[in-house]
Amino acid sequence: MHGAWHSPWCWQPLIEHLPGVDVRTVALPSSGADPADLGDLYDDAAAVAKTLASIGGPTVVVGHSYGGSPITEAAAQVDNVIRLVYVTALMLDVGDSVLSAADGVYPPYWDVRERPDEHPDKGFFGVSQPLEILYGDVDPELARLSAAKLGRQSLASATQPLTKAAWRTVPSTYVVCEADAAIPVPLQEAMAQRAQRTRRLDSAHSPFLSNPAELARILREELGG
């Protein structure tokens, strides 16, 4: 599950390093181009749960960044998830939200539009400085192309609290990205204490673009149990 502002396109370099693995991606409703069409956290979790239910068999679920929240909510609604993998992701507890994880303060790189004139009931936020914040170690041309594809993120997805925390009953792994400018390493490490295993990558925020081969190696090992 992709993070804020993204969609499944971001996983393609990683998927190319996972031949033979049945990979499913989900386009989270909270991210997109039109603020009027954006869903919220619970819409995202419903989309994830629907995909998991359609798979049926044992499944390892991977969430990146914001994507950690909907997988935490959704995996508690099905019975076929055998491991959760949080890649520099929000591994939050019941009652927590993305914003509460930031101590209730909008991060400085969020471009928040709480009441856009054209859709007063649809607050959203973009990202400023994506090359520095999201793609610090990505090839410059790939980073530029990726930044051009970014959408908007619904504010509701960041303010709604989790009602379930699947990591309490499902085995989990946290992948700390040690050069991340978006989610500070101390926060990653604090959340990683909830996981059964912690892995580390010498990577900025988007290892699926900057180091897909190494991330694929870690995921293959996690698929093995």
Side-chain angles (χ1 to χ4, degrees):
M1 260 42 73
H2 60 80
W5 311 297
H6 289 73
S7 61
W9 58 262
C10 69
W11 294 116
Q12 192 55 42
L14 176 65
I15 292 171
E16 291 172 2
H17 284 84
L18 292 169
V21 177
D22 181 9
V23 178
R24 313 286 180 93
T25 60
V26 177
L28 299 178
S30 66
S31 179
D34 186 349
D37 291 337
L38 298 181
D40 58 24
L41 169 65
Y42 306 129
D43 294 322
D44 290 345
V48 174
K50 181 178 179 179
T51 298
L52 292 173
S54 74
I55 295 171
T59 304
V60 173
V61 183
V62 181
H64 172 250
S65 194
Y66 163 76
S69 289
I71 71 169
T72 299
E73 182 86 9
Q77 303 174 32
V78 296
D79 59 7
N80 60 315
V81 177
I82 59 172
R83 181 163 292 274
L84 298 162
V85 180
Y86 294 83
V87 180
T88 186
L90 295 173
M91 189 175 184
L92 306 178
D93 206 349
V94 172
D96 293 340
S97 69
V98 176
L99 192 59
S100 72
D103 295 325
V105 178
Y106 295 140
Y109 58 87
W110 285 14
D111 178 18
V112 177
R113 310 291 179 87
E114 292 190 87
R115 295 183 62 84
D117 291 341
E118 65 272 29
H119 300 291
D121 60 336
K122 292 285 185 177
F124 68 91
F125 59 103
V127 57
S128 60
Q129 299 178 293
L131 300 183
E132 295 81 4
I133 299 298
L134 305 180
Y135 307 133
D137 59 348
V138 177
D139 173 81
E141 180 62 12
L142 178 57
R144 184 186 65 80
L145 293 172
S146 299
K149 296 177 182 178
L150 294 175
R152 294 160 168 173
Q153 186 73 22
S154 78
L155 198 56
S157 68
T159 58
Q160 291 169 321
L162 289 174
T163 67
K164 301 176 178 63
W167 53 263
R168 289 188 168 275
T169 55
V170 177
S172 58
T173 300
Y174 198 99
V175 181
V176 174
C177 291
E178 297 177 326
D180 194 341
I183 300 179
V185 171
L187 176 56
Q188 292 182 62
E189 291 176 335
M191 292 185 290
Q193 293 182 23
R194 294 168 168 165
Q196 281 70 46
R197 290 202 287 260
T198 300
R199 310 293 297 269
R200 306 187 80 90
L201 267 176
D202 182 14
S203 169
H205 190 63
S206 302
F208 42 84
L209 296 178
S210 64
N211 199 349
E214 181 63 14
L215 180 56
R217 182 188 67 78
I218 288 174
L219 294 181
R220 281 191 176 278
E221 292 174 356
E222 295 304 314
L223 285 168

